[in-house]
């Protein structure tokens, strides 16, 4: 099971994830993201500080969510906070460091909106 | 005798963490650093996920996946074997990490990740079973910098006719990648399998070391009354063979099937 905590920081939705994200549980991450975007909360910060491992299944959910958030009427986005070195390496391998905004701290990610 | 460990799991996603733990433990015992251990975990996860999602199509409860880890002197070897329909991931084209958001499909990164984090990826169609061998070089692991620029040796191996083995490398054959190919094909020669086809259909560049390796393998195949023939040679590679006269040494066939048929029925 993934531990996913959703909270509001003014207009920004903060989603904090803990655990290992693989193809067995990535859909939980996808559902949490979809729920927020469909309720109109499209300015999202995904805090990955507690994620020690992520496979391409996690990236798939993040990219799907990013596409959906950007499609909405208000300028939505999914921004990443505090990825570990390993998760960052996986994001970079897929070139997501060029299409996602990645921040070293949660405060900077939330403040970027 | 290198140390070998085996694990068999049902084709279910909730068993993926067990497969990862098994491989990580073996990789640590083999002396890999933590970054390389993470790469091995990612590779086995992506391989097993692909089998469950595409090979077993979510119906893996009664089908299994076997994972073999082997620590050799200078390399750590992971082999993943499944009974799904024959599927060679090495002929699939890579997604583009520089694509814009609009042009991106969310998925399709699994095989690409395996090719980027490992040093050798070899697919073998083993009499109806899929076998994917993924190798990490113990010495090279700390030197890898940008994974996006990393080029692994990629080879598809099949056995189209009794006793004839076909090797299809993908990409380049240069000084860095040749020793791996030489080792794979030498293993076959030493096992007495001396009828070899080298399918160059997916090879766009062969360096002088590549040519040297090909000639050496051909000589050794001849020494055991066998042969090494080439198939599907691309124009640019063919030009290089012609310049140094190797087109007169090697028999070259338009397709791998024609090459295998010629080896199977040599002219009297």
């Amino acid at each position: 099971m993934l531990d996913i905590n959703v909270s509001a920081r003014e207009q920004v939705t903060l989603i904090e994830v803990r655990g290992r994200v693989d193809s067995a549980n990535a859909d939980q991450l996808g559902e949490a993201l979809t729920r927020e975007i469909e309720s109109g909360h499209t300015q999202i910060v995904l805090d990955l500080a507690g994620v020690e491992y992520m496979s391409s299944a996690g990236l798939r959910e993040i990219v799907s969510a990013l596409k959906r958030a950007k499609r909405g009427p208000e300028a939505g986005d999914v921004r990443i906070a505090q990825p570990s070195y390993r998760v960052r390496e996986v994001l970079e391998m897929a070139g997501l460091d060029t299409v996602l905004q990645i921040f070293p701290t949660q405060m900077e990610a939330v403040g970027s909106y | 005798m290198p140390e070998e460990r085996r694990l068999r799991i049902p084709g279910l996603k909730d068993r993926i963490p067990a497969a990862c733990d098994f491989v990580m433990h073996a990789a640590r015992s083999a002396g890999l650093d933590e970054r390389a251990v993470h790469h091995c975990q990612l590779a086995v996860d992506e391989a097993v996920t692909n089998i469950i999602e595409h090979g077993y199509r979510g119906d893996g409860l009664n089908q299994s996946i076997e994972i073999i880890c082997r620590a050799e002197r200078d390399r750590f070897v992971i082999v993943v074997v499944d009974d799904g329909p024959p599927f060679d991931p090495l002929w699939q084209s890579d997604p583009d990490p520089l694509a814009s958001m609009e042009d991106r499909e969310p998925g399709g990164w699994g095989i690409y990740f395996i090719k980027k984090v490992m040093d050798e990826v070899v697919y073998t169609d083993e009499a109806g079973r899929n076998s994917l061998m993924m190798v990490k070089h113990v010495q090279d692991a700390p030197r890898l910098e940008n994974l996006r620029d990393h080029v692994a040796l990629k080879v598809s191996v099949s056995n189209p006719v009794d006793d004839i083995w076909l090797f299809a490398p993908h990409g380049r054959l240069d000084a860095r990648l040749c020793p791996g190919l030489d080792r794979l094909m030498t293993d076959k020669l030493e096992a007495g399998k001396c009828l070899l086809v080298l399918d160059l259909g997916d090879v766009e560049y062969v360096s002088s070391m590549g040519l040297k390796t090909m000639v050496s393998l051909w000589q050794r195949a001849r020494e055991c009354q066998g042969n090494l023939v080439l198939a599907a040679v691309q124009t640019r590679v063919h030009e290089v063979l012609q310049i140094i006269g190797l087109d007169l040494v090697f028999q070259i066939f338009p397709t791998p099937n024609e090459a295998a048929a010629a080896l199977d029925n040599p002219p009297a």
Side-chain angles (χ1 to χ4, degrees):
Chain A
M1 274 297 279
L2 277 181
D3 180 4
I4 300 175
N5 187 42
V6 181
S7 58
R9 295 281 187 280
E10 296 184 4
Q11 86 283 12
V12 177
T13 301
L14 175 65
I15 303 181
E16 293 164 289
V17 188
R18 302 190 67 81
R20 47 171 286 134
V21 183
D22 63 19
S23 59
N25 62 17
D27 54 341
Q28 294 171 36
L29 174 60
E31 282 157 20
L33 286 160
T34 302
R35 206 158 39 230
E36 293 309 314
I37 293 164
E38 286 182 352
S39 1
H41 305 144
T42 58
Q43 299 192 323
I44 293 173
V45 167
L46 187 61
D47 188 323
L48 300 177
V51 176
E52 77 266 21
Y53 172 79
M54 189 186 304
S55 77
S56 70
L59 299 192
R60 188 162 61 190
E61 300 299 341
I62 294 173
V63 171
S64 297
L66 180 61
K67 281 176 167 256
R68 250 180 276 130
K70 285 197 183 275
R71 228 181 279 137
E74 58 285 307
D77 201 359
V78 177
R79 298 182 183 168
I80 307 292
Q82 329 194 57
S84 68
Y85 176 76
R86 283 182 199 155
V87 170
R88 197 182 172 98
E89 190 172 67
V90 168
L91 293 170
E92 286 174 358
M93 223 180 342
L96 287 182
D97 52 325
T98 59
V99 294
L100 283 170
Q101 294 193 46
I102 303 176
F103 297 89
T105 65
Q106 188 185 94
M107 204 197 277
E108 284 168 89
V110 171
S112 71
Y113 280 102
Chain B
M1 192 61 192
E3 190 197 352
E4 190 171 286
R5 307 173 188 209
R6 286 170 181 265
L7 176 75
R8 187 180 283 276
I9 58 166
L12 299 173
K13 282 187 179 171
D14 61 7
R15 301 308 307 277
I16 289 174
C20 288
D21 284 346
F22 168 75
V23 168
M24 284 194 293
H25 189 253
R28 283 195 188 105
S29 307
L32 293 182
D33 65 30
E34 281 305 306
R35 186 178 179 217
V37 169
H38 172 244
H39 292 164
C40 292
Q41 163 170 220
L42 189 62
V44 77
D45 180 343
E46 301 292 355
V48 169
T49 295
N50 250 343
I51 293 165
I52 296 171
E53 288 184 353
H54 303 294
Y56 294 163
R57 298 193 173 276
D59 186 27
L61 179 60
N62 299 311
Q63 291 183 284
S64 65
I65 299 169
E66 187 171 25
I67 301 156
I68 302 147
C69 291
R70 200 162 55 236
E72 298 178 357
R73 192 174 54 82
D74 52 353
R75 15 181 259 164
F76 178 66
V77 180
I78 308 166
V79 184
V80 178
V81 183
D82 73 88
D83 298 306
F87 174 71
D88 181 349
L90 298 179
W91 287 97
Q92 309 294 308
S93 58
D94 289 334
D96 179 8
L98 301 176
S100 69
M101 204 57 226
E102 296 74 43
D103 297 334
R104 261 171 199 269
E105 294 294 329
W109 291 97
I111 299 299
Y112 173 84
F113 281 2
I114 294 173
K115 294 193 232 176
K116 289 298 164 185
V117 298
M118 302 304 278
D119 295 301
E120 296 175 30
V121 185
V122 179
Y123 169 84
T124 308
D125 179 346
E126 274 184 357
R129 305 190 83 198
N130 295 300
S131 161
L132 190 68
M133 177 170 82
M134 304 177 287
V135 180
K136 194 82 176 164
H137 294 169
V138 176
Q139 302 302 324
D140 294 352
R143 287 208 300 272
L144 275 180
E145 284 304 325
N146 189 340
L147 291 176
R148 235 148 61 193
D149 299 332
H150 179 60
V151 180
L153 173 72
K154 301 173 285 283
V155 189
S156 300
V157 184
S158 58
N159 179 207
V161 186
D162 285 342
D163 277 341
I164 295 174
W165 286 86
L166 194 150
F167 293 79
H170 301 269
R172 309 162 55 83
L173 279 185
D174 58 21
R176 198 173 59 81
L177 300 179
C178 274
L181 180 67
D182 184 67
R183 176 176 194 149
L184 277 176
M185 296 183 73
T186 299
D187 281 350
K188 279 285 173 278
L189 291 171
E190 288 179 350
K193 311 289 185 197
C194 300
L195 296 172
L196 306 177
V197 178
L198 189 59
D199 174 359
L200 296 179
D202 200 21
V203 173
E204 74 261 13
Y205 171 78
V206 180
S207 75
S208 59
M209 179 60 105
L211 298 169
K212 221 181 276 181
T213 303
M214 283 160 55
V215 171
S216 149
L217 286 162
W218 171 78
Q219 283 171 333
R220 282 177 283 152
R222 298 300 288 174
E223 279 163 21
C224 61
Q225 279 70 52
N227 202 353
L228 168 71
V229 302
L230 308 183
V233 182
Q234 291 190 23
T235 313
R236 271 192 293 174
V237 174
H238 198 266
E239 278 172 5
V240 175
L241 293 176
Q242 271 179 328
I243 289 168
I244 51 174
L246 282 181
D247 57 325
L248 305 173
V249 171
F250 290 110
Q251 282 179 271
I252 302 177
F253 296 88
T255 66
N257 281 346
E258 286 166 87
L263 282 181
D264 199 31
N265 301 294

